Amino acid sequence: MTSFFNHTKNFRDGAEKFVAFDIDDVKALLERLASGKTIDPDRANENVVLARDWIQHVIEKAGAQQLPLESMKKELESFVDDDRLMLLLRYYQLFSKKLVTSQDRSPVVPLHLTDTNWRLDLQLAGSDLNKVIEPSAFLHFSLTPTQDVSTVDPSFTLEFSKSDLYNFLCELDDIQSQLDEVS
């Protein structure tokens, strides 16, 4: 089975703190989180803070992956008893509904990439060896807004050294690999 959560020591410790709470305390904690009230880590019990952090990690990670309730239940049942798990799943449902209802229908990114240009600057020779400049790569991104956005010029240019460009391309390759895995 594919794991949606990294079962690190911190994850297991957070789950233990969550399970250690009395069921009424779990309800109170989840109600407090659902209402948007914060828990001040300086004034709260350390176990409350660890449980809160664990809950937020689980809910946010599941929400980001749009994890179905049944998958979340299967993933967490070895860490959390049924009563606390049901409360956590209800809180997750509430969190999911808030995400859907509060979602803005406008584009997440108001600019779209329309063109990319590149240029290499090389100095092949010079009168002084100390003045030889390292090759640079320039990438120019032309952007257009999806709506009337009052920006002077939404385009930009980035300059890279050879090693920076290599690292940038490796990161883009990692992004592509991750996109390929999920689609």
Side-chain angles (χ1 to χ4, degrees), residues 118-182:
W118 59 274
R119 163 180 111 223
L120 294 177
D121 284 351
L122 301 171
Q123 180 179 351
L124 299 177
S127 61
D128 184 4
L129 287 179
N130 294 334
K131 291 185 179 178
V132 174
I133 300 172
E134 183 179 333
S136 295
F138 292 89
L139 292 176
H140 180 78
F141 298 93
S142 298
L143 307 171
T144 49
T146 56
Q147 307 164 351
D148 287 337
V149 178
S150 59
T151 55
V152 178
D153 183 15
S155 301
F156 62 95
T157 302
L158 300 173
E159 179 180 2
F160 294 96
S161 67
K162 181 181 177 183
S163 62
D164 291 340
L165 180 61
Y166 179 78
N167 292 337
F168 178 70
L169 294 174
C170 287
E171 288 179 23
L172 288 176
D173 190 43
D174 290 344
I175 292 169
Q176 180 65 46
S177 298
Q178 291 174 9
L179 286 172
D180 290 343
E181 286 179 14
V182 296

Side-chain angles (χ1 to χ4, degrees), residues 17-123:
K17 299 298 180 197
F18 180 71
V19 171
F21 283 122
D22 181 76
I23 196 75
D24 291 329
D25 293 337
V26 170
K27 285 180 188 176
L29 179 59
L30 291 172
E31 286 172 7
R32 184 171 182 91
L33 292 173
S35 69
K37 294 179 181 171
T38 60
I39 296 172
D40 184 3
D42 295 331
R43 296 177 55 201
N45 178 326
E46 182 183 351
N47 292 338
V48 172
V49 174
L50 287 171
R52 177 212 55 194
D53 290 348
W54 181 80
I55 292 167
Q56 288 177 332
H57 170 76
V58 167
I59 299 301
E60 289 170 4
K61 183 108 173 162
Q65 298 178 45
Q66 298 177 344
L67 194 61
L69 283 176
E70 196 56 40
S71 298
M72 189 171 167
K73 182 179 178 183
K74 285 179 185 175
E75 178 88 21
L76 296 175
E77 61 190 3
S78 62
F79 295 98
V80 181
D81 63 276
D82 287 343
D83 293 335
R84 286 169 184 76
L85 184 57
M86 287 302 128
L87 291 171
L88 188 61
L89 291 175
R90 274 193 231 126
Y91 176 66
Y92 175 64
Q93 283 180 309
L94 174 69
F95 178 81
S96 299
K97 285 178 188 174
K98 281 184 180 180
L99 278 180
V100 170
T101 57
S102 68
Q103 240 178 4
D104 183 11
R105 296 294 178 207
S106 65
V108 174
V109 180
L111 301 173
H112 288 281
L113 182 65
T114 56
D115 192 21
T116 305
N117 295 310
W118 59 274
R119 163 180 111 223
L120 294 177
D121 284 351
L122 301 171
Q123 180 179 351

